[in-house]
Amino acid sequence: MHPRLPRDQTRQRAIFTAESSMIRAIPLFTLGVALLTAAGCSTAGPSGSTMQSAAAQKDYERLSGTWQLTRGVVNGKPVSASVARNTILITDHNTFRFPKASGVGTHPAGTFTVNPTASPKQVDSIAEGGPHTGQLTRGIYEILDADHKRACWGPPDGRRPTGFTSPLGSGWILQYWTKIGPVPSR
């Protein structure tokens, strides 16, 4: 048995125990947030399989294809026309890759989830290669029409942009894309 502690010491021990429990819970909370983010707009079906919402599925289909960067701004600085011409993006439902080396993409390849019910629509990507492997990048997107889209990305593990801008010092990447073809066969 523990000797009876004075009231102040008992209160301090309770506060310390609560703080220690909260500190131990932070990694679990972070893991939970990451899993919810990765789940995106998915809901579990009756068999435990994952089915995407109709709105998310529609956006994945509209985003699939080969895209050419037409205009970009990185951290407040416009992307040169020659770099834009050489920046090609291939998206196939929830995967993306840049077939050429590019300084305008968020990562060389990865997966992404969309949330078409947010305003503006939200997109989260996870890098599968490069210096930011495994890191979450938060963004927003808009499908302008069948052949044009725009996106704005925050820095890896940074905050989500709130608008389609890239102010100096923000670390945001603003991109305008034109569809130039379907998803190529591998």
Side-chain angles (χ1 to χ4, degrees), residues 61-164:
E61 289 171 13
R62 292 179 71 195
L63 293 168
S64 290
T66 302
W67 299 84
Q68 170 77 55
L69 183 70
T70 55
R71 185 166 66 99
V73 181
V74 177
N75 197 28
K77 298 176 183 165
V79 172
S80 72
S82 64
V83 170
R85 269 192 308 276
N86 288 315
T87 302
I88 304 294
L89 169 68
I90 298 170
T91 55
D92 188 2
H93 292 307
N94 71 333
T95 64
F96 69 92
R97 61 188 162 93
F98 288 89
K100 299 179 181 180
S102 170
V104 185
T106 54
H107 314 296
T111 59
F112 65 97
T113 57
V114 296
N115 179 356
T117 61
S119 182
K121 294 180 177 185
Q122 297 178 346
V123 57
D124 293 333
S125 74
I126 301 285
E128 290 181 355
H132 301 291
T133 299
Q135 290 182 310
L136 174 68
T137 300
R138 295 169 181 87
I140 56 175
Y141 73 100
E142 181 178 23
I143 299 170
L144 302 169
D145 60 39
D147 295 322
H148 299 90
K149 67 179 180 175
R150 66 181 178 168
C152 191
W153 298 94
D157 287 336
R159 66 185 182 96
R160 184 183 313 280
T162 55
F164 294 96

